[in-house]
Amino acid sequence: GDIALSNDGTELYVSHYDAQKIIDVALVGGPQSDMDTRFMIVDTETMTVKAALTLCPGAHGVKIAPDGSRAYVSCISDEIAVVDLTTPDHGVRRIPMAADVGTAIAPKYEPYALSLAPSGDIWVSCRSRNELRVVSAQTLAVDPARIVGVTGAPMFGAFSADGATVFVPTQIDDAIAVVDTATGVLQREISVRASCLNVH
């Protein structure tokens, strides 16, 4: 799915976006818990796996908290997983995107990518809703006042140095959404369709 490096460079974090596992479990009528995929913590000096955590269905985008204490991972099952990187057991907490979440087979929000603001807040790209949803780093909950609609399926974004603006490529319309992070207002969209299809 995605990879991220620890702040000190000693660990590599790897998500496993195993869509086939979701399909295989669904075909035999298995429970959603059997669709959970792995999250690997790799020692970068020895390139050995230090831990293989059971995380969530369709683990994908990975971002590391500014202080290195947590890994945030998007899950196709309408949630993100928060991994504690400070304890030996690496506890996992799952944060739903809304009260009416779907399933791994039929997600209503489909979290795909994550973008980390300089403030530490997590911006979640929800493909099924053409939305960006913001998870507060303080409360670890979706902030209902900061849900941003865009005109295509949002992918991985990037923030301006001051954190005032986030730029997010969107598929279907093949554009770059420019969002004011303080107000959540979509300021404009820059079309890239003439030179790029399925911008990612």
Side-chain angles (χ1 to χ4, degrees):
D2 197 10
I3 59 172
L5 196 64
S6 64
N7 295 339
D8 63 6
T10 62
E11 291 184 335
L12 187 67
Y13 308 108
V14 185
S15 65
H16 187 190
Y17 187 75
D18 192 347
Q20 189 61 52
K21 183 175 187 180
I22 294 171
I23 293 166
D24 290 345
V25 172
L27 286 174
V28 298
Q32 182 161 293
S33 59
D34 286 355
M35 300 175 184
D36 288 349
T37 55
R38 293 289 193 175
F39 178 77
M40 306 291 187
I41 301 175
V42 178
D43 183 304
T44 58
E45 184 177 354
T46 63
M47 293 309 292
T48 56
V49 176
K50 294 172 64 175
L53 312 178
T54 299
L55 206 60
C56 59
H60 194 254
V62 179
K63 290 295 180 187
I64 307 303
D67 65 1
S69 65
R70 299 169 176 159
Y72 304 109
V73 186
S74 61
C75 308
I76 198 173
S77 48
D78 285 347
E79 57 197 337
I80 67 168
V82 181
V83 181
D84 186 340
L85 299 176
T86 65
T87 59
D89 66 345
H90 300 299
V92 176
R93 179 174 172 184
R94 287 158 68 158
I95 313 298
M97 288 296 96
D100 63 337
V101 297
T103 65
I105 287 294
K108 292 182 180 179
Y109 299 87
E110 196 183 354
Y112 178 76
L114 301 178
S115 305
L116 195 68
S119 66
D121 289 343
I122 308 97
W123 288 61
V124 185
S125 295
C126 296
R127 289 196 303 187
S128 293
R129 296 286 291 254
N130 292 355
E131 285 180 348
L132 300 168
R133 291 185 164 238
V134 181
V135 174
S136 165
Q138 283 70 43
T139 64
L140 290 183
V142 173
D143 182 348
R146 292 194 290 171
I147 297 173
V148 181
V150 291
T151 59
M155 300 288 133
F156 292 90
F159 287 82
S160 58
D162 61 4
T165 307
V166 62
F167 305 90
V168 182
T170 57
Q171 292 186 349
I172 302 171
D173 61 347
D174 294 313
I176 307 296
V178 182
V179 177
D180 182 308
T181 58
T183 63
V185 171
L186 177 61
Q187 295 178 317
R188 65 188 182 120
E189 292 174 299
I190 304 164
S191 177
V192 295
R193 179 163 287 169
S195 58
C196 183
L197 296 178
N198 293 322
V199 59
H200 189 264

